[in-house]
Structures are given as structure tokens and as C-alpha cells.
């Protein structure tokens, strides 16, 4: 059995967990982050990618709205390569309560959220996909954020300060003695190897799994697991985030991401945090609501449906769904349950992950006798790519691809460009949808953290475009023949990748998407001799 020793073990590789790891490392606290899958395995990769302005919460919860606005501005500054400042708009239809719009404008002003009423005629000319029935529309400082990129930027920054991170390791035991945490046991989910880690503190940032982590320490956290389903369209329908100007509900947000648009979301209580399978009924209901804002969305192909589970927290059992607060709760289990060395951070939103991490590490640092202040709001996650390196990238990857690669790779961009300069074969675009080069695939596959094709997908967006991996998946696997990590079990790697894609395609299997799926079936079942699998 392998053994390690750190001051703090962080459980959960989502936005909050990676933010905590970075903050701990920047304050000089030795830390290890543990994630049972790949980074963003859970909710942090299964949301609409909206960086909230606070407008959605202004009427109901001004404190949450102010937090969103402040963190929105901080992330634009420290993670500019992860944020697309699209701007947003809130639009009302005749059936929406005019009194709510008036309350909303007033609440936004009180929360410091800048809004401006838009000319409807000019708005419809700019975005003809919107309903001509819109009666009021206002602009807001919403934005789109790349969750995968942001999480890896946090981890890479933390590693530069000495932090450690392991993926595909599941927490299998929590050690305690004399009323205090003494360590944890980890199980490698790929090979079964056991690792024992001695630590002074465990920070539970496991999201929807936070209750399970607490249970390992003999404690209880009442989590409400709330599934939200989203739809991905194969076009960028607008260049701004579009919100419905009414109390938050289902299918009332359209978020542009690169070449696609996401429509979300729903709110359904589930028991299992792994309950992320969208249903056809959910898809149908979302489309019915979405058509009210964009009447012609049926003209666009839905490339997939996917779902995440929100980790909502209530100190006392009560209402569920959208009635539960989206604020976060920081639980000191020494104070609450008499167990020293365990802290849980639950609830919250992706937009406020950095603030959640700061408050959590403030508490942890105090308990560890560390007085170093938080600097995560000031220090950028990555350094900007130089204009000289961008020019070199343009020469090898062309105008469409060089900027996208720079945004995805950040500090590693130079290495990928140099590889392509030295070997012209590395300039080929393996994924035309997302403009991912052979050089980028090669770099990511060898970074030590990529274990599957899906891991490469999350880091590069390979297979996340309109074809959903029909062509780039087998190209990528074929190019990895000399990589020891990917030379065994090629069929298993490609099957796992395609099955993950299939889960999202199955609930939207009609029209153009059905024809696309028939092409995919022909390629993989006929040409590659693969077999069809069930829906699971």
C-alpha cells in the first residue's frame, strides 16, 4: 500500500474543489485533490456554461445577485481565456407579468447590475430567431464560461505552487481518532491500487456526493439532489445569452458556446447523484417552452441532451427544486458535530466557485494556524499568449484554428506550436468542428492526466462539435498508437467514448440527428466491425 502525507485532502474535482486547491497552494498549505473520475466529472461539466450577471436572482435574492456580479467581474479579469464576454439580454413576452419586469429593473439597480432597455425592432433585426412577440428587453453583463478550461487552469496554477492532484481515485475510507480526522484511504478505480494519505484536514467539496463523503466520517449532510437537463443545438443562434424576463423556470436560458447554443434547464428531484440520463419527455417539455422565446428552433438540429445534478443544501428538510436557495453553506464539523479536521462546502453556483473556495480556505487556514491572505481574486490563472507566439501559431494552424488552440491551451500553447513547427504532420486538424490539431491531441494525451478518449475530449473539445465525434474519435485513437497509455484495449477506449456520446444523442433521435446517427452507425458498425450497445 502506497502512503502519502499532506496537510489537507480536498475531495471533489469540480469548480469549487479545484478553486480550493489553488487557494490552499497559494497560501503555502500542502494539499492533495482527489477526484473519482476526470476533472469536471460531475455538475461542473453539466451546466449551461452561464457566467451569471446576477440578473436571474436580483428579485428573489439580492445578496446572491451581488455575489454573482462581483465574481463575474473577477473571473473576466483572472480567467479571460475561459470567459467569452457575450453580454446578455432578458426578454419578456405578453404572457409574462409586466409587474415582475418593473420589480426586476428596480432590483437590478439596487444590486448594482447595469441594465439598458433595448429597442425591440432593432433587437429583432439583429436576432431574427427571437420571437416577434417580445414586449420588453434589457441588456445585462452576462457571459459564457468554459467550465473544463477553467477547472484545468485552476489545477495547473495550483501545481505551480506545489499542490498535487489525482483523478480516477475514489475516497474509500476516512480515518479518525480521538475526535479528529487523521487521514483517508483512496482506491485507484483503474487498477484497484490502494493509497493511504495522512492529513490534518479533509475538505469535502464533493458536490452532489457531499452526503456520501460525510457518511464515511459517520456524519450526515442533508443534500437535495436536483437534476437539470440541457439541450445543445448545432448553431450559434444568438451572440448573447438570452434569458426569459420572468421568475426563474424551466428552459428559460439560451447560452451561446463557440459554434453551438445550449438551452436549459429543468429541475427534477433525484435520489442518486449519478442520475444524469435525460428523458424524452424532458426534451419535449423544454422545446415547448423554448419555442416561446425562439419560435423556429425546430429548424436547427439538436446534437445532444445532457443533464447534471445540482447539489442543493438545506439545514432542515423542507421544500425542494427551485424553492431551495442557490446560496452556499460552509459547514465546520468541529463546531457542528464535534469532529475536528472536517469541513464541508455545499450548494452554491459555478459563478461563485472562487468566493466559495476563498471562504472555505479562510476557515481551513485559521484552523491550521496560517495567516496568509487570499490572493485568488488578483492573480491571473494563466499568462496571456504573446503576440509573437500567436503569429507563429497562425502560420502552422491557419487563421480559423490558431486562436481557438491558444484559448484552450493557455500556457501550453507554445509547446504545441513548436511541435507543429518541427513536424508538419502535427498541423492536421483531427477535429474540424472544434479545430483541434494533431499536435494538441498529442500534447494532451501525454500530459499524464489523460486516461481515456473522453479525458482528451474534455480538455480539447474534440468530439464536442456538431458531428459529436463521428470522425475525430477514430482519427485520434489511431494517432495514439505509440502512446503506451492508449495501446491496450483500443476497442474499449473507442466504445467508452462513443457510448458517452450516445447517451446524449438517444433522447433527441429524430430528423437531422437521426440521419447523422445512421451515418455514425454505418461507419463504426460496418467499417470497424463494432456492435450496437443498449441505451445505458
Amino acid at each position: 500500500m502506497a502512503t502519502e502525507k499532506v496537510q489537507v485532502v480536498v475531495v471533489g474535482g469540480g469548480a469549487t474543489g479545484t478553486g480550493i486547491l489553488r487557494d490552499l497552494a497559494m497560501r503555502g498549505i500542502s494539499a492533495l485533490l482527489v477526484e473519482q473520475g476526470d476533472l469536471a466529472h460531475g455538475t461542473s461539466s453539466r451546466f449551461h456554461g452561464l457566467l451569471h450577471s446576477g440578473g436571474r436572482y436580483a428579485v428573489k435574492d439580492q445578496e446572491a445577485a451581488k455575489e454573482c456580479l462581483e465574481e463575474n467581474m473577477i473571473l473576466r479579469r483572472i480567467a479571460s481565456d475561459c470567459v467569452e464576454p457575450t453580454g446578455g439580454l432578458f426578454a419578456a413576452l405578453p404572457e409574462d407579468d409586466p409587474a415582475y419586469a418593473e420589480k426586476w429593473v428596480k432590483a437590478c439597480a439596487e444590486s448594482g447590475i447595469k441594465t439598458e432597455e433595448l429597442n425591440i425592432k432593432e433587437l429583432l433585426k439583429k436576432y431574427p430567431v427571437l420571437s416577434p412577440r417580445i414586449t420588453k428587453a434589457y441588456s445585462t453583463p452576462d457571459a459564457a464560461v468554459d467550465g473544463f478550461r477553467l477547472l484545468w487552469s485552476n489545477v495547473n496554477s495550483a501545481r505551480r505552487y506545489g499542490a498535487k492532484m489525482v483523478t480516477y481515485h475514489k475516497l474509500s475510507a476516512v480515518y479518525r481518532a480521538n475526535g479528529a480526522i487523521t487521514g483517508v484511504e483512496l482506491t485507484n478505480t483503474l487498477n484497484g491500487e490502494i493509497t493511504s494519505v495522512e492529513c490534518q484536514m479533509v475538505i469535502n467539496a464533493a458536490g452532489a456526493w457531499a452526503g456520501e463523503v460525510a457518511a464515511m466520517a459517520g456524519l450526515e449532510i442533508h443534500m437535495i439532489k436536483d437534476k437539470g437537463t440541457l439541450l445543445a443545438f448545432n448553431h450559434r443562434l444568438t451572440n448573447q445569452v438570452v434569458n426569459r424576463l420572468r421568475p426563474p423556470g424551466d428552459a428559460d436560458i439560451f447560452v451561446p458556446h463557440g459554434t453551438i447554443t445550449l438551452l436549459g434547464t429543468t429541475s427534477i428531484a433525484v435520489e442518486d447523484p449519478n442520475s444524469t440520463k435525460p428523458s424524452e419527455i424532458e426534451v419535449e417539455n423544454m422545446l415547448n417552452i423554448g419555442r416561446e422565446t425562439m419560435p423556429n428552433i425546430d429548424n436547427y438540429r439538436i446534437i445532444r441532451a445532457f443533464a447534471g445534478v445540482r447539489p442543493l443544501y438545506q439545514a432542515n428538510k423542507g421544500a425542494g427544486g427551485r424553492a431551495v436557495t442557490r446560496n452556499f453553506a460552509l459547514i465546520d464539523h468541529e463546531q457542528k458535530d464535534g469532529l475536528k479536521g472536517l469541513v464541508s462546502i455545499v450548494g452554491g453556483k459555478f459563478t461563485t466557485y472562487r468566493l466559495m473556495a476563498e471562504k472555505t480556505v479562510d476557515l481551513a487556514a485559521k484552523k491550521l494556524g496560517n495567516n496568509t491572505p487570499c490572493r485568488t481574486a488578483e492573480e491571473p490563472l494563466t499568462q496571456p499568449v504573446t503576440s509573437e507566439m500567436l503569429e507563429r501559431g497562425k502560420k502552422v494552424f491557419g487563421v480559423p484554428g490558431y486562436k481557438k488552440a491558444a484559448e484552450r491551451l493557455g500556457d501550453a500553447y507554445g509547446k504545441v506550436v513548436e511541435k507543429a513547427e518541427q513536424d508538419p504532420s502535427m498541423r492536421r486538424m483531427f477535429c474540424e468542428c472544434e479545430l483541434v490539431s494533431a499536435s494538441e491531441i498529442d500534447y494532451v494525451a501525454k500530459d499524464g492526466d489523460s486516461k481515456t478518449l473522453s479525458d482528451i475530449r474534455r480538455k480539447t473539445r474534440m468530439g464536442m462539435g456538431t458531428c459529436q465525434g463521428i470522425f475525430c474519435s477514430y482519427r485520434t485513437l489511431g494517432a495514439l498508437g505509440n502512446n503506451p497509455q492508449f495501446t491496450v484495449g483500443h476497442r474499449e477506449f473507442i466504445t467508452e467514448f462513443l457510448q458517452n456520446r450516445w447517451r446524449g444523442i438517444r433522447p433527441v433521435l429524430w430528423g437531422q440527428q437521426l440521419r447523422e446517427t445512421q451515418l455514425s452507425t454505418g461507419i463504426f458498425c460496418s467499417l470497424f466491425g463494432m456492435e450496437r450497445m443498449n441505451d445505458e
Side-chain angles (χ1 to χ4, degrees):
M1 178 189 293
T3 59
E4 290 192 34
K5 183 176 180 179
V6 293
Q7 288 177 279
V8 178
V9 170
V10 182
V11 183
T16 306
T18 59
I20 288 170
L21 184 72
R22 181 184 187 232
D23 201 337
L24 288 167
M26 291 176 69
R27 300 194 203 199
I29 299 170
S30 64
L32 169 70
L33 184 145
V34 180
E35 167 54 47
Q36 63 181 332
D38 188 21
L39 283 194
H41 165 77
T43 312
S44 292
S45 65
R46 298 174 178 273
F47 76 123
H48 40 48
L50 171 60
L51 190 62
H52 284 284
S53 64
R56 187 168 175 83
Y57 307 106
V59 173
K60 184 178 178 181
D61 189 342
Q62 287 198 10
E63 189 62 35
K66 291 175 183 177
E67 287 179 353
C68 283
L69 179 64
E70 183 176 350
E71 292 302 307
N72 178 309
M73 297 304 159
I74 290 173
L75 288 179
R76 288 172 188 248
R77 189 172 62 248
I78 69 167
S80 58
D81 58 338
C82 304
V83 176
E84 183 184 0
T86 59
L89 62 90
F90 279 70
L93 295 172
E95 56 267 37
D96 298 327
D97 182 5
Y100 180 83
E102 293 175 7
K103 279 193 239 177
W104 180 85
V105 171
K106 183 173 182 290
C108 283
E110 293 171 349
S111 303
I113 302 166
K114 184 178 179 181
T115 64
E116 181 181 349
E117 186 167 3
L118 302 174
N119 181 288
I120 302 300
K121 186 176 179 180
E122 292 179 2
L123 177 64
L124 295 176
K125 185 177 180 180
K126 184 178 182 181
Y127 299 131
V129 71
L130 294 175
S131 172
R133 299 171 57 246
I134 289 176
T135 57
K136 289 270 188 183
Y138 298 86
S139 64
T140 57
D142 287 314
V145 60
D146 187 320
F148 301 111
R149 194 182 306 161
L150 186 61
L151 266 62
W152 277 108
S153 295
N154 273 299
V155 167
N156 291 335
S157 173
R159 282 173 163 171
R160 288 194 290 273
Y161 282 95
K164 299 178 182 179
M165 186 273 293
V166 290
T167 54
Y168 296 98
H169 279 69
K170 191 175 181 64
L171 184 72
S172 44
V174 174
Y175 303 137
R176 48 185 293 181
N178 301 317
I181 295 292
T182 59
V184 299
E185 179 186 275
L186 310 176
T187 301
N188 186 315
T189 59
L190 300 177
N191 59 25
E193 181 180 318
I194 303 296
T195 300
S196 178
V197 182
E198 183 182 336
C199 64
Q200 297 171 253
M201 180 176 292
V202 171
I203 296 180
N204 176 11
W209 290 266
E212 284 80 348
V213 172
M216 288 187 181
L219 306 178
E220 181 181 3
I221 298 177
H222 179 58
M223 299 297 299
I224 296 175
K225 303 175 182 71
D226 190 69
K227 186 181 81 167
T229 293
L230 302 103
L231 304 179
F233 291 86
N234 71 332
H235 279 71
R236 189 179 174 100
L237 303 177
T238 64
N239 287 321
Q240 290 175 267
V241 177
V242 178
N243 298 264
R244 187 81 172 262
L245 185 48
R246 65 179 186 185
D250 291 352
D252 57 358
I253 307 175
F254 288 85
V255 184
H257 271 281
T259 59
I260 68 170
T261 299
L262 298 179
L263 167 63
T265 176
T266 59
S267 179
I268 299 172
V270 294
E271 295 295 327
D272 184 355
N274 296 300
S275 298
T276 56
K277 183 179 179 181
S279 70
E280 294 180 19
I281 293 176
E282 286 178 277
V283 172
E284 183 178 344
N285 290 340
M286 291 178 69
L287 286 174
N288 286 336
I289 299 170
R291 288 187 193 103
E292 296 173 5
T293 304
M294 297 188 183
N296 297 317
I297 55 174
D298 293 304
N299 295 336
Y300 302 93
R301 178 163 63 94
I302 306 173
I303 56 178
R304 70 184 292 100
F306 61 99
V309 176
R310 302 179 187 90
L312 306 180
Y313 172 74
Q314 277 191 321
N316 301 303
K317 296 184 179 181
R322 298 195 186 277
V324 183
T325 178
R326 266 45 174 177
N327 289 338
F328 62 89
L330 180 58
I331 305 172
D332 180 351
H333 291 285
E334 181 178 8
Q335 187 178 70
K336 178 177 179 289
D337 304 298
L339 179 60
K340 183 179 180 180
L342 179 62
V343 171
S344 294
I345 178 72
V346 292
K349 297 171 288 298
F350 189 101
T351 299
T352 57
Y353 90 88
R354 193 213 60 82
L355 176 64
M356 294 165 64
E358 178 181 342
K359 298 301 183 184
T360 303
V361 179
D362 282 346
L363 175 61
K366 183 179 179 181
K367 289 179 175 292
L368 294 169
N370 184 303
N371 298 317
T372 306
C374 177
R375 306 195 314 277
T376 58
E378 287 80 39
E379 185 173 312
L381 286 165
T382 61
Q383 294 301 314
V385 178
T386 65
S387 56
E388 183 267 337
M389 186 55 70
L390 283 173
E391 282 300 314
R392 288 170 62 183
K394 187 190 298 186
K395 291 177 182 178
V396 291
F397 299 134
V399 173
Y402 82 102
K403 281 189 177 179
K404 281 183 172 288
E407 291 170 353
R408 287 191 296 263
L409 292 161
D411 297 336
Y413 183 65
K415 296 178 182 178
V416 171
V417 170
E418 288 172 4
K419 181 78 171 179
E421 288 174 335
Q422 296 165 6
D423 183 355
S425 69
M426 288 291 171
R427 303 174 188 181
R428 293 173 296 162
M429 288 295 161
F430 272 14
C431 176
E432 287 96 346
C433 298
E434 295 294 332
L435 299 174
V436 184
S437 69
S439 183
E440 185 174 349
I441 294 291
D442 181 73
Y443 175 82
V444 169
K446 294 176 179 176
D447 67 4
D449 295 314
S450 298
K451 312 298 183 185
T452 69
L453 285 183
S454 292
D455 294 351
I456 295 176
R457 170 181 63 82
R458 281 182 280 267
K459 293 177 186 176
T460 66
R461 293 190 63 84
M462 177 272 294
M464 296 177 72
T466 56
C467 86
Q468 290 292 285
I470 293 178
F471 304 108
C472 55
S473 55
Y474 66 79
R475 290 174 185 165
T476 298
L477 190 60
L480 298 174
N482 295 324
N483 187 327
Q485 178 67 44
F486 294 89
T487 53
V488 178
H490 279 64
R491 181 177 289 269
E492 287 76 10
F493 277 124
I494 196 72
T495 298
E496 181 266 346
F497 179 87
L498 294 173
Q499 192 67 5
N500 282 336
R501 299 288 84 193
W502 170 250
R503 289 191 185 101
I505 293 170
R506 180 63 185 85
V508 295
L509 202 55
W510 64 77
Q512 297 179 58
Q513 186 55 53
L514 178 57
R515 289 190 287 273
E516 189 89 9
T517 302
Q518 287 176 320
L519 172 62
S520 175
T521 301
I523 291 173
F524 290 101
C525 294
S526 300
L527 298 181
F528 292 96
M530 300 183 72
E531 298 178 358
R532 299 184 187 187
M533 298 180 68
N534 61 33
D535 292 352
E536 299 301 324

